[in-house]
Amino acid sequence: MKLIAIMPVRSEDWILKASIETALKWVDGLVILNHMSNDESVQIVNALEREYKDRVHRFDTNDP
């Protein structure tokens, strides 16, 4: 059995990398739900998706 977490994100670049890396200590996979971020959040998640290949996945929504 695998534990998968869902993390909603909206413009949280100041703490996002630390939050994701901490969550990955406890879960097998992490789904990032990005809601209209207007900072560097998307770039941070992209980098972590490459680093943690099959463990981090991002989904975007622009619906206010």
Side-chain angles (χ1 to χ4, degrees):
M1 179 168 51
K2 289 188 176 186
L3 181 62
I4 307 297
I6 300 172
M7 180 182 290
V9 171
R10 184 170 187 181
S11 301
E12 299 180 38
D13 63 353
W14 66 278
I15 193 68
L16 188 57
K17 186 176 190 294
S19 297
I20 290 172
E21 290 179 339
T22 299
L24 288 172
K25 292 179 181 184
W26 298 97
V27 299
D28 299 306
L30 187 59
V31 176
I32 308 296
L33 300 176
N34 176 45
H35 182 250
M36 299 177 61
S37 291
N38 59 8
D39 59 2
E40 300 298 314
S41 293
V42 172
Q43 290 81 1
I44 292 168
V45 175
N46 285 343
L48 292 171
E49 278 183 306
R50 288 188 299 273
E51 183 177 345
Y52 293 102
K53 303 212 188 272
D54 295 325
R55 295 185 64 201
V56 176
H57 305 279
R58 186 186 90 237
F59 292 94
D60 297 304
T61 181
N62 293 323
D63 185 3

